[in-house]
Amino acid sequence: MLSRVFGFGRRPFESLSEQEILALAISSEEDDGRIYRAYADGLADSFPQSAKVFEEMAEEEDGHRDALIELFRDRFGERIPLIRREHVKGYYERKPDWLVRPLGIEHVRSQAEAMERQAYLFYVEAAKRTTDASTRKLLDDLALAEQGHETLAQRLEQKHVPGEVKDEEAAAEQRQFILTYVQPGLAGLMDGSVSTLAPIFAAAFATHDTWQTFLVGLAASIGAGISMGFTEVASDDGKLSGRGSPIKRGITTGVMTSAGGLGHALPYLIPHFWTATGVAAVVVFFELWAIAFVQNRYMQTPFLRAAFQVVLGGALVFAAGVLIGNA
C-alpha cells in the first residue's frame, strides 16, 4: 500500500530505456484492450449496441499492440521485458471499475475518454525520449491515433448506437438506477421518517426529557435501519426482478431509514424541550415534503397526490405519538 502511495520500488519514467518504453507501451495496450472487452462484457446484457463499440475499440488496441511488438522484435529481439504501468512512478493507473456490476453506460464512456487521453499523453512523452527514427514515428502515430479515438468512438457510436438506441439505453439506465437506489431509498426514508414519529414524540411528551427522547429516537432509527436493510437484502436477490444488487439495495434502504428517523431525533440534543420539539416538527415537515418530491420526480406520482398521502400519513402517526405520550 505504501509503495503505491509513495512510489517505493517503482522506476521513474525518465529512467526507462527505449526498450523498456516499448515494453511498457505493449503491456499498456494489451491491458487497455482487455479493459475494453471487460466493458463490453459488462454492457452486453443491458446495452448490447454500446458493447459492440467497446469490442471494436479493443480490436483497435490490439492493432496498436501488434505494431509495437513488431517494432520491438525488429529492434530488440524476441524477449520483451515484463514492465507494467504499476512498475513506473507517476505513470497513470486504471481503476478497476470494470469489475463493478452493473456498469453505468455514461460512466464507462467517460472512463474510456480518460483512458485515451492518458494514453495520448504517454505516447507524446515517450516519443520525446526516443532517438530512433522508426520508433519515434510509430509513437507519434500512436499518439495521433489515441487523440483521434474520441472521433473513432463517435463514429462507432453512430454506427452501433444511433439516436433512438442511445435514448433507449439512457432510459434503461435510468430505470435501473430507480430500481436499485431510488425505490429502496424512498422506502427507507418513508419508513424511517414516518414510523419513528410515534415513538419519538410519545417519548418526548411522556418524559419532557430531551436526552431520553434522543436516546429513544437513536435506538428506533438505527434499529429500523438495520431491520429494513436486512429485509431488503433477503427479500429479493435481483436476478429475476432486475432490481440490481441486493447488497446495494440493502445498504441504501438501511442508510435512508436511519437518516429518516435521525432527522427528527437529533433536535432533541437541544436541552430546552419546547425548542427541541419545535425544531423536530420543522424537520418532519421538510422530510415529508422531500419524500413527496422524490415520488413526483422519480416515480411520476402527481405532486399534490404524493404530498397529500405522505403528509396525511405523517400527521396521523405524529398525532398518535403525541396522544400516547400525553396519556
Side-chain angles (χ1 to χ4, degrees):
M1 179 65 181
L2 290 177
S3 64
R4 286 290 185 92
V5 176
F6 297 105
F8 298 148
R10 303 173 75 180
R11 291 275 301 277
F13 181 74
E14 294 76 14
S15 72
L16 299 181
S17 65
E18 290 188 23
Q19 182 183 22
E20 291 168 331
I21 288 174
L22 279 178
L24 176 60
I26 290 168
S27 67
S28 297
E29 290 289 350
E30 184 172 351
D31 286 348
D32 286 354
R34 295 171 71 181
I35 290 171
Y36 284 140
R37 286 191 172 88
Y39 282 153
D41 291 343
L43 295 171
D45 291 338
S46 301
F47 311 107
Q49 295 303 112
S50 285
K52 294 179 182 178
V53 172
F54 288 99
E55 287 284 2
E56 293 199 25
M57 291 184 73
E59 292 174 4
E60 181 84 4
E61 299 301 311
D62 290 346
H64 294 177
R65 180 203 59 198
D66 293 344
L68 287 163
I69 290 176
E70 190 62 32
L71 177 64
F72 187 97
R73 183 181 289 118
D74 291 342
R75 291 198 60 197
F76 302 109
E78 296 293 332
R79 297 184 184 274
I80 302 175
L82 177 60
I83 180 168
R84 307 179 73 89
R85 55 172 58 96
E86 60 266 24
H87 302 154
V88 180
K89 184 186 298 183
Y91 196 64
Y92 62 86
E93 296 184 2
R94 301 295 193 218
K95 296 180 180 179
D97 55 354
W98 58 88
L99 298 175
V100 179
R101 296 292 187 274
L103 293 175
I105 183 65
E106 291 303 326
H107 175 72
V108 170
R109 286 172 179 150
S110 66
Q111 284 299 105
E113 291 177 5
M115 287 170 61
E116 301 304 337
R117 184 168 57 253
Q118 291 168 342
Y120 163 73
L121 293 174
F122 163 69
Y123 284 123
V124 169
E125 291 302 314
K128 293 177 183 177
R129 298 185 46 76
T130 303
T131 56
D132 178 77
S134 60
T135 303
R136 183 160 191 163
K137 181 179 185 305
L138 176 60
L139 294 175
D140 283 336
D141 289 345
L142 289 174
L144 291 174
E146 298 292 350
Q147 190 177 36
H149 266 189
E150 183 176 355
T151 303
L152 171 65
Q154 291 173 354
R155 291 202 308 270
L156 291 175
E157 279 201 8
Q158 290 172 359
K159 173 183 175 183
H160 294 296
V161 192
E164 62 274 12
V165 174
K166 196 166 187 177
D167 291 341
E168 290 174 5
E169 290 186 344
E173 185 172 34
Q174 175 76 355
R175 184 165 56 252
Q176 188 63 60
F177 173 74
I178 290 173
L179 290 173
T180 304
Y181 294 104
V182 176
Q183 281 187 348
L186 182 61
L189 185 61
M190 291 178 68
D191 185 84
S193 298
V194 176
S195 69
T196 57
L197 284 174
I200 289 176
F201 285 100
F205 284 92
T207 65
H208 282 253
D209 185 322
T210 58
W211 177 246
Q212 295 300 321
T213 301
F214 169 73
L215 292 179
V216 169
L218 182 64
S221 301
I222 294 177
I226 295 172
S227 175
M228 285 286 288
F230 275 99
T231 299
E232 181 65 33
V233 170
S235 65
D236 179 11
D237 63 8
K239 293 179 181 178
L240 295 179
S241 66
R243 296 179 64 220
S245 166
I247 301 299
K248 292 179 180 178
R249 298 196 329 267
I251 291 173
T252 301
T253 303
V255 169
M256 294 307 294
T257 301
S258 295
L262 288 173
H264 43 268
L266 289 174
Y268 282 98
L269 288 172
I270 301 172
H272 188 267
F273 173 77
W274 287 110
T275 301
T277 300
V279 172
V282 171
V283 171
V284 169
F285 174 82
F286 282 105
E287 285 176 346
L288 298 180
W289 281 98
I291 293 171
F293 172 79
V294 172
Q295 285 185 318
N296 173 255
R297 173 67 176 79
Y298 292 101
M299 313 305 293
Q300 308 302 317
T301 304
F303 185 78
L304 291 179
R305 190 175 81 184
F308 176 76
Q309 292 172 343
V310 173
V311 173
L312 177 61
L316 291 174
V317 177
F318 175 82
V322 173
L323 291 173
I324 293 171
N326 285 315

